[in-house]
Amino acid sequence: MCNTRFVVMASFLLVLGFSSLSSASAKVSSLAFQHDAGSSGRRSEPQRPLKPPFPNGPCGGTIVAIPPEDTFGIDAKLAGNPVLLPPRALYVWLPSDYHQSNDQDNDEQEQKRYPVLYCHDGQNAMEDSSSWTGASWRLAGALTRLKQRKMISQIPIVVMLPSAEGDFVPGVRRRHLEYGDMNNVFAQAHVDFVVETVKPLIDATFRTLVEPHHTFAIGSSLGGQASFHMLLRHPDVFGGVACMSPAFQPATLAAVVSDSNQQQELSLSNNHDYGATWWKDKRIYLDMGGDLNEEKVQWFDMMDHLTPKHWWNPGYFWLDTQLKPSLQAMLLALQLKKIPHSYTTFPGARHNERAWSQRIDRPLMHLFGPSDNAVTDN
């Protein structure tokens, strides 16, 4: 009898305890729901932390191809010479909301205009499959994540400028000529082609914000050099530049430290008298990896080879360390001229697209996020 009573009482306590626990859990769940839902009454989606790897591909955006006859074919200057600049297609990435047509926002969306980012080595920017190392910068993925977290005010249209392929003569890469020093006629033709032919076409075809403070360039390695060349040669067109692991050349360095008369000559080529204040209100981002203090570049990184395409190619992974002297010279020039800029180091980082994809959010935040253009070294 005692055993029976004990079993009944134990069962009753067990049921009571389970009910209390369920009630407490329900209250916690209800509180959690209210916390997530806020005033909307709906549970918010969990947000991933902002860290690489960023998504690959266009991320809901649209990629539009511009055939070479629409650009190279109409340029009557040096860029129209196929010996200097071989014709090739260009590609434009439109953000996912570019073609949105929600009923209530349709009129506003039709009027919405976008800043523009001109991207050197555009074939390496978004799609892993098109990159020469099998890994891209994941540019669209980073922009999308930054916008979701409201770390940038607006996603830009991205104009991808594929670099030239092949040799001009045996042993002289066309890319090295187009992205070369400022006194190089190939490099001058490339920069003027983008400004005088490509940009007018982009502005006429898409809903862009055409002012300099909405127009930027980005590049890595020699693409960083070419991007800085654009800013120096056409300060009336570009409002900023991002250079990842840049390979700066002597004439480009000299243009920064030159006196006002020489800089004025560059500016007056576009009928704009910038003189010694060409850098006013510009956003300049520089970074570098390589050996730094105790951090050394690894001679082998398995992650460089886990790609479906070009798995065998890690790029010039060692090169950041060799590029440091020219970058230090640029930093000294910028400091001497008191030109605002941002400089960030990534100890041990390699010189390839996968390494740049690990930090692509940093230059994008500097160009499109809130910034006071203060010099930062870290």
Side-chain angles (χ1 to χ4, degrees):
M1 185 70 173
C2 290
N3 290 339
T4 302
R5 289 178 179 177
F6 176 79
V7 170
V8 171
M9 183 167 291
S11 300
F12 175 78
L13 292 174
L14 182 62
V15 171
L16 180 63
F18 179 80
S19 299
S20 300
L21 181 61
S22 299
S23 176
S25 299
K27 289 180 180 179
V28 171
S29 299
S30 176
L31 289 173
F33 175 80
Q34 292 173 11
H35 181 268
D36 286 344
S39 60
S40 65
R42 292 181 298 176
R43 186 186 300 273
S44 61
E45 293 295 327
Q47 192 173 75
R48 296 181 182 179
L50 182 69
K51 61 181 182 180
F54 298 108
N56 179 45
C59 297
T62 305
I63 296 179
V64 179
I66 299 180
E69 54 267 25
D70 290 349
T71 53
F72 293 89
I74 66 172
D75 197 303
K77 299 182 179 180
L78 288 177
N81 186 336
V83 175
L84 286 179
L85 300 181
R88 74 212 75 151
L90 310 179
Y91 299 90
V92 179
W93 178 78
L94 304 175
S96 59
D97 66 349
Y98 187 86
H99 294 298
Q100 268 185 359
S101 58
N102 296 331
D103 293 338
Q104 62 184 27
D105 299 327
N106 188 43
D107 292 339
E108 180 181 348
Q109 186 64 34
E110 286 299 320
Q111 301 301 319
K112 183 177 180 181
R113 294 185 174 274
Y114 296 77
V116 183
L117 179 63
Y118 289 85
C119 180
H120 287 100
D121 291 311
Q123 74 278 4
N124 301 328
M126 290 189 186
E127 295 274 6
D128 289 353
S129 60
S130 66
S131 173
W132 78 301
T133 61
S136 71
W137 298 354
R138 306 286 183 92
L139 186 63
L143 285 169
T144 302
R145 291 272 177 88
L146 288 169
K147 184 62 171 64
Q148 288 171 347
R149 288 154 182 77
K150 300 181 180 179
M151 300 175 74
I152 58 175
S153 58
Q154 192 171 356
I155 296 181
I157 290 172
V158 179
V159 180
M160 292 176 279
L161 307 168
S163 56
E165 298 180 351
D167 291 352
F168 177 65
V169 295
V172 179
R173 301 293 294 172
R174 283 190 173 275
R175 175 178 178 273
H176 296 175
L177 294 174
E178 289 187 11
Y179 293 179
D181 214 348
M182 287 187 67
N183 57 3
N184 180 329
V185 66
F186 292 85
Q188 293 172 1
H190 162 71
V191 168
D192 291 345
F193 167 69
V194 173
V195 169
E196 298 173 4
T197 301
V198 177
K199 187 179 187 303
L201 176 63
I202 297 299
D203 292 340
T205 306
F206 305 101
R207 300 193 310 273
T208 65
L209 296 166
V210 301
E211 300 84 0
H213 59 279
H214 293 301
T215 307
F216 303 94
I218 189 172
S220 62
S221 195
L222 275 175
Q225 148 77 28
S227 298
F228 211 99
H229 182 182
M230 281 185 171
L231 181 63
L232 287 171
R233 190 171 175 86
H234 295 279
D236 57 311
V237 174
F238 292 94
V241 62
C243 310
M244 299 181 292
S245 305
F248 289 126
Q249 307 293 302
T252 304
L253 296 169
V256 175
V257 300
S258 62
D259 58 29
S260 60
N261 290 333
Q262 183 176 350
Q263 187 60 56
Q264 186 175 5
E265 182 179 347
L266 286 171
S267 299
L268 288 176
S269 65
N270 302 303
N271 298 318
H272 286 266
D273 185 5
Y274 276 74
T277 62
W278 63 268
W279 44 264
K280 182 175 175 58
D281 299 325
K282 303 301 183 187
R283 295 190 178 197
I284 299 175
Y285 171 92
L286 309 172
D287 73 24
M288 186 62 75
D291 296 344
L292 183 66
N293 300 327
E294 300 300 320
E295 292 285 340
K296 307 296 182 183
V297 176
Q298 299 179 13
W299 281 95
F300 179 78
D301 188 340
M302 178 61 74
M303 296 302 294
D304 282 348
H305 303 278
L306 299 180
T307 57
K309 291 189 175 182
H310 307 293
W311 58 266
W312 47 268
N313 183 12
Y316 302 110
F317 65 89
W318 65 89
L319 196 55
D320 271 31
T321 303
Q322 282 69 40
L323 293 177
K324 281 186 177 180
S326 65
L327 176 60
Q328 293 298 328
M330 176 60 78
L331 292 173
L332 178 60
L334 294 172
Q335 291 163 4
L336 287 174
K337 302 296 289 186
K338 297 182 180 180
I339 299 175
H341 61 280
S342 170
Y343 171 53
T344 306
T345 58
F346 296 89
R350 297 157 79 79
H351 189 93
N352 59 27
E353 282 68 27
R354 191 179 72 84
W356 296 318
S357 74
Q358 301 295 303
R359 61 185 194 251
I360 186 62
D361 55 306
R362 300 294 290 273
L364 295 176
M365 281 192 292
H366 187 78
L367 294 181
F368 298 102
S371 172
D372 57 4
N373 274 348
V375 178
T376 58
D377 296 277
N378 50 34

